[in-house]
Amino acid sequence: MHHEPNTDAGELRLFVEDLYAHLGDRAAFDARLHPEVTVWESADPRLLRGIAELDELRGPAIALEQRTTPLPLVEPVGIVADRWGDTGVLRYLLEVRASTGAPVSELVRVTDVVRRDESGWRIVHHHATDIEPAAVPAEEDHR
């Protein structure tokens, strides 16, 4: 049986936009991760399993009021979302800037697999690869 994706996946696009809007709030961010999430990150060759291993890579959470440097602006762009019932796949680029209006300093290609349960949508697998900002044509609009 062939299942077509539900192309009306706006709920998933809002999920990922909200995720990065709360990047500075570790508890709010982690509430959107499944406790047994698997993660591929450019900075670590291992397949990270669970939030504890992810924390080894991220380091300790620092409350916003205790930060000595501002968080960068991290914005998901070019979001492509598909959903099949309680399962979804998101693909997007993360543009990282020092502040609003600053040039893109980092560009990350991301694929997230999400599942919906009693807690709502949560990421069960996150795959992120750093790419050179110059690798994407400047005239291409990711929004």
Side-chain angles (χ1 to χ4, degrees):
M1 180 185 290
H2 183 69
H3 293 283
E4 288 296 319
N6 173 350
T7 54
D8 179 23
E11 187 179 344
L12 292 180
R13 281 188 288 281
L14 291 173
F15 167 83
V16 80
E17 289 168 352
D18 191 55
L19 177 72
Y20 288 99
H22 292 93
L23 191 59
D25 182 344
R26 179 77 60 94
F29 190 91
D30 286 1
R32 293 167 176 90
L33 303 177
H34 188 279
E36 297 171 24
V37 65
T38 56
V39 177
W40 289 117
E41 283 283 351
S42 293
D44 196 315
R46 302 173 296 160
L47 176 62
L48 303 174
R49 295 175 183 268
I51 292 174
E53 286 190 9
L54 178 59
D55 280 345
E56 291 174 20
L57 178 64
R58 296 189 296 190
I62 300 170
L64 283 175
E65 62 274 6
Q66 295 175 339
R67 291 194 161 274
T68 55
T69 57
L71 279 174
L73 178 65
V74 179
E75 182 181 14
V77 297
I79 300 169
V80 175
D82 289 300
R83 148 181 186 205
W84 300 265
D86 291 337
T87 302
V89 178
L90 290 148
R91 293 78 94 193
Y92 53 94
L93 293 172
L94 283 178
E95 292 182 344
V96 181
R97 293 177 170 81
S99 60
T100 303
V104 174
S105 58
E106 295 176 53
L107 193 59
V108 183
R109 184 182 297 144
V110 178
T111 302
D112 286 328
V113 179
V114 294
R115 292 279 299 156
R116 186 173 52 191
D117 61 20
E118 65 281 350
S119 299
W121 289 104
R122 296 199 293 174
I123 296 171
V124 295
H125 179 71
H126 173 79
H127 188 150
T129 304
D130 296 341
I131 59 177
E132 285 296 320
V136 177
E139 67 276 0
E140 199 170 306
D141 184 1
H142 307 293
R143 294 170 216 290

